[in-house]
Amino acid sequence: MSVKVGVLGARGRVGSEVCRAVEASDDLELAAAVDAGDAMDALSAADVVVDFTHPDVVMDNLRWCVSHGLHCVVGTTGFDEARLAELRASLAEAPGVGILVAPNFSIGAVLMMRFAAEAAPFYDSVEIVELHHPDKADAPSGTSRRTAELVAAARRGAGLGPMPDATSTGLDGARGSEVDGVHVHSVRARGLVAHQAVILGGPGETLTIRHDSMDRASFTPGVLMAVRVISERPGLTVGLEHLLDLG
């Protein structure tokens, strides 16, 4: 039996790609395509709702879905610990409902984050440069924030201290933002889609781990993977890596 899918943000850049991918899948059915101004009630026909909307509205969307017993796969950005804690509290009152929040649904981006975390303990310095289109609402990106958190955790686990940085003067923002002790630099320019480079440095060498999404269709395999299994994962799952057999 096919999984019935509702898409929030269905007329957006990623949402429209998700709609096309669902319609092209033999085991999925597009039950509702909802965007700003449309009635949410159409989503009641779905088993799983995919949300690619905006940080300003995503929490209201998820509250509605949880109250209606709908599983959710969320690619909208802007999730911090406070928002994740609110989701956990909501799901505690809705046993059996599952939500997956992922900063990036590209399989390559997930692997990039994994590789960066594995390499981080072997280098003195790690910095992140993320590049996106200028219509993106958040900076730094959710992917770069998650990468920085994974890198920082790996360094702490290896017993490493702060990274070297002798900067004593500079213009505001010249060193980017800082996420858990890792500098993150954001570029916004027309023509870009989603790109990230993790630059690791040690004595006499650097290692750059880079991922590029040239088309938003790169996100759909990960989205469909999550749609197919989220009903089997009640509660909150953060990160697509939990669905991959990475060992």
Side-chain angles (χ1 to χ4, degrees):
M1 188 171 66
S2 62
V3 178
K4 296 180 180 179
V5 182
V7 178
L8 275 165
R11 294 190 290 273
R13 292 181 178 88
V14 180
S16 58
E17 289 288 348
V18 172
C19 289
R20 282 191 285 271
V22 169
E23 290 179 314
S25 300
D26 294 335
D27 60 337
L28 304 175
E29 175 186 342
L30 185 62
V34 176
D35 210 295
D38 297 336
M40 296 281 283
D41 291 343
L43 296 171
S44 299
D47 303 311
V48 179
V49 173
V50 176
D51 188 298
F52 276 91
T53 56
H54 191 279
D56 291 347
V57 300
V58 65
M59 292 303 290
D60 286 339
N61 292 343
L62 295 180
R63 292 185 195 102
W64 188 94
C65 289
V66 170
S67 70
H68 287 75
L70 298 173
H71 306 292
C72 298
V73 172
V74 186
T76 304
T77 55
F79 280 87
D80 54 16
E81 283 305 316
R83 286 191 163 194
L84 294 175
E86 182 179 339
L87 287 183
R88 291 187 182 98
S90 297
L91 290 167
E93 303 299 320
V97 175
I99 294 179
L100 182 138
V101 174
N104 200 310
F105 278 93
S106 162
I107 304 298
V110 173
L111 293 174
M112 174 266 297
M113 289 187 274
R114 171 68 175 264
F115 299 156
E118 289 188 359
F122 298 97
Y123 289 88
D124 296 337
S125 302
V126 186
E127 301 210 3
I128 299 169
V129 182
E130 58 95 350
L131 310 91
H132 285 82
H133 57 88
D135 302 316
K136 186 169 178 57
D138 58 329
S141 68
T143 300
S144 63
R145 290 174 65 96
R146 179 62 175 159
T147 307
E149 291 165 356
L150 292 171
V151 163
R155 288 175 57 82
R156 282 193 297 270
L160 300 180
M163 288 180 268
D165 187 351
T167 304
S168 59
T169 62
L171 297 176
D172 289 345
R175 295 289 289 115
S177 58
E178 196 170 316
V179 179
D180 208 353
V182 180
H183 286 281
V184 181
H185 310 266
S186 298
V187 176
R188 297 290 178 266
R190 189 66 67 198
L192 297 172
V193 178
H195 318 262
Q196 180 169 297
V198 183
I199 304 169
L200 304 101
E205 69 169 348
T206 62
L207 169 66
T208 300
I209 302 172
R210 179 174 175 123
H211 175 261
D212 297 275
S213 283
M214 277 73 73
D215 192 297
R216 291 169 180 85
S218 65
F219 306 132
T220 58
V223 172
L224 299 191
M225 177 193 303
V227 164
R228 292 181 174 110
V229 303
I230 189 60
S231 64
E232 303 166 9
R233 300 184 65 94
L236 179 64
T237 301
V238 180
L240 188 68
E241 63 270 20
H242 298 292
L243 307 188
L244 303 177
D245 184 12
L246 297 178

